[in-house]
């Protein structure tokens, strides 16, 4: 009899604690998304909703192709055109661009683009292996993660058809100091390129 009472009491206490903690957890998660997006729409939502196809959502993820900061050509037939590296109000830097296949046949994205972290590998194909290097400050910046460990970058890129017009992509990083105007962008298996921050 006392055993059943003890179990019931423990369940009641656990339920009370859960009811008290859950709203706080949800508030913390909600505030983080707004900061990451800088008030311009959530750029982290694509990373947590669908990972079966390349994500392309909102103004932060669709590049303005009227200018190109750098063109990165790899020996694997892939070409990255970097169109923007823009600081957001929340202290983030969003890199946008277009991925193309310049070879004569369908090319498959290398697994190295995903990055090496175990937590990121479980989220599926992505561009989480992309990094930025601030040579002046001697710092390397990695793609940000959301509260569930998903990278804040385009996900689901597996194969790209030959002559494809391009797949839009984005990747969000912590913003370097304001005095930093240039960073090197590094994508696994691709040459390094220097881009201007705006």
């Amino acid at each position: 009899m006392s055993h059943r009472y003890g179990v019931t009491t423990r369940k009641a206490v656990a339920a009370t604690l859960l009811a008290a903690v859950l709203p706080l957890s949800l508030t913390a998660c909600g505030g983080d998304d707004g900061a990451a997006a800088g008030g311009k729409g959530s750029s982290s939502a694509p990373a947590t909703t669908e990972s079966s196809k390349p994500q392309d959502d909102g103004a932060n993820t669709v590049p303005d192709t009227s200018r190109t900061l750098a063109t990165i050509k790899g020996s694997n037939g892939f070409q990255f055109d970097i169109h923007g590296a823009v600081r957001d109000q929340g202290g983030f830097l969003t890199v946008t661009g277009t991925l193309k296949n310049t070879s004569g046949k369908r090319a498959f994205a290398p697994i190295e683009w995903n990055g090496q972290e175990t937590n990121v590998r479980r989220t599926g194909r992505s561009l989480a292996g992309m990094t930025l290097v601030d040579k002046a400050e001697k710092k390397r910046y990695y793609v940000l993660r959301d509260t569930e460990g998903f990278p804040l970058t385009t996900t689901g890129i597996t194969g790209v058809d030959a002559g494809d017009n391009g797949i839009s992509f984005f990747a969000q990083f912590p913003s370097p100091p304001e005095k930093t105007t240039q960073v090197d962008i590094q994508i696994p298996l691709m040459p390094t390129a220097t881009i201007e921050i705006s």
Side-chain angles (χ1 to χ4, degrees):
M1 192 73 171
S2 62
H3 175 69
R4 179 178 295 176
Y5 176 76
V7 171
T8 304
T9 303
R10 284 194 297 271
K11 285 182 180 178
V13 170
T16 303
L17 287 174
L18 182 60
V21 172
L22 188 58
L24 295 174
S25 299
L26 293 176
T27 302
C29 290
D32 188 41
D33 286 342
K40 298 179 184 177
S42 176
S43 62
S44 63
T48 59
T49 54
E50 297 178 25
S51 60
S52 60
K53 62 182 180 177
Q55 300 300 314
D56 188 0
D57 182 30
N60 286 343
T61 63
V62 179
D64 174 9
T65 57
S66 64
R67 65 180 186 146
T68 300
L69 302 179
T71 297
I72 306 169
K73 296 181 179 181
S75 59
N76 53 11
F78 284 111
Q79 174 178 309
F80 284 86
D81 292 328
I82 311 300
H83 299 299
V86 180
R87 283 189 171 95
D88 296 331
Q89 294 177 354
F92 306 100
L93 179 71
T94 303
V95 174
T96 55
T98 308
L99 170 63
K100 298 177 181 177
N101 174 6
T102 60
S103 72
K105 59 183 180 179
R106 184 172 172 83
F108 294 91
I111 195 105
E112 288 85 357
W113 289 357
N114 298 352
Q116 298 299 315
E117 295 177 42
T118 303
N119 202 29
V120 171
R121 285 182 178 180
R122 72 176 177 80
T123 65
R125 292 302 187 102
S126 71
L127 296 175
M130 187 183 302
T131 59
L132 299 179
V133 176
D134 181 349
K135 291 188 288 190
E137 296 291 317
K138 298 181 180 177
K139 290 184 179 179
R140 180 183 301 273
Y141 297 92
Y142 294 88
V143 172
L144 292 167
R145 316 293 191 245
D146 68 11
T147 55
E148 296 178 9
F150 286 85
L152 300 186
T153 183
T154 302
T155 60
I157 297 175
T158 53
V160 183
D161 291 328
D164 194 306
N165 289 333
I167 296 172
S168 297
F169 72 87
F170 81 100
Q172 196 168 52
F173 303 86
S175 182
E178 288 291 331
K179 63 183 179 180
T180 299
T181 58
Q182 290 184 336
V183 289
D184 285 350
I185 183 167
Q186 297 180 336
I187 303 166
L189 306 180
M190 305 289 286
T192 300
T194 301
I195 57 174
E196 296 280 343
I197 298 175
S198 58

